Amino acid sequence: MIEIKNLKKEYKEEETSTLALRDVTFSIKKGEFVSIMGPSGSGKSTLLHILSFLDRPTGGSYKFQGKSIDEMTDHELARVRNKDMGFVFQSFNLLSRLTVYNNVEIPLLYSDISPNKRKALVEEAVSSVGLEDKLYTEAGKLSGGQKQRVAIARALVTDPNVIFADEPTGNLDSASGLQVMEILEMLNKKGRTVILVTHETQTAEFANRIIRIKDGMVESDKLITANHLNRGAILK
């Protein structure tokens, strides 16, 4: 699904330049659950922005579902991003005065899907994260864990091929964080590709593979075996 080779990202300001990414190479297959780890300033957020079409690299190549992003216009990238990618952010990015229903519906408003079909898709997505009883509750009245579950429902509503989760447990207590990670794990088991960015080792270990980034380069890329026996301790 994702193939990057010798990826480079350089930021220039006046007469100085900073290499945020250098010679990053890896591929991610459909259905994988991959964690990208690294300390602050390592380049993991820059990498996520490129993988999710929020930014373009300054060198190397990136193919998404077999097509080079160099061959795609900004409009095409935006269309693919809306159709094939779902996003879950640390800060939830919900509109607090809108209901759960209205927040989850937002990605569908840019499509030609009929109102009745939109309603069915929203209800299905909200049900998948166990919040059907909160469908018409204002997002601002929800707990942090509930808000993140709404964000996951919003990410799912367009039936994306890949879900990007950027520090999804960063603003949550341990119990809510565990619940969110278990939902992402469940979605992966149903065939969704999940790419998680985190600095927390225990959160990263929900994935089947961990790519560690340091100083803009891949430090390690390893398959792991998740410890399903100690999940209660995760995120504490």
Side-chain angles (χ1 to χ4, degrees), residues 21 23 25 41 46 50 55 63 68 80 87 89 103 125-126 146 149 158-160 169 176 196 216 220 231:
L21 296 173
D23 295 325
T25 298
T46 299
I50 292 173
D55 200 358
K63 290 183 178 180
S68 172
V80 172
F87 299 88
F89 302 97
N103 270 283
V126 172
Q146 289 172 332
R149 286 154 64 189
T158 59
D159 193 25
T169 63
S176 297
L196 168 73
S220 64
R231 285 294 164 78

Side-chain angles (χ1 to χ4, degrees), residues 58-78:
T58 50
S61 65
Y62 174 18
K63 290 183 178 180
F64 182 78
Q65 298 189 133
K67 186 171 183 179
S68 172
I69 67 169
D70 289 337
E71 300 172 2
M72 303 168 72
T73 65
D74 288 345
H75 177 73
E76 288 173 323
L77 290 177

Side-chain angles (χ1 to χ4, degrees), residues 185 204-209 223-231 234:
E185 183 181 51
E205 288 176 350
F206 272 84
N208 307 117
R209 176 182 169 197
L223 297 176
I224 65 170
T225 301
N227 180 8
H228 295 277
L229 301 179
N230 197 33
R231 285 294 164 78
I234 294 225

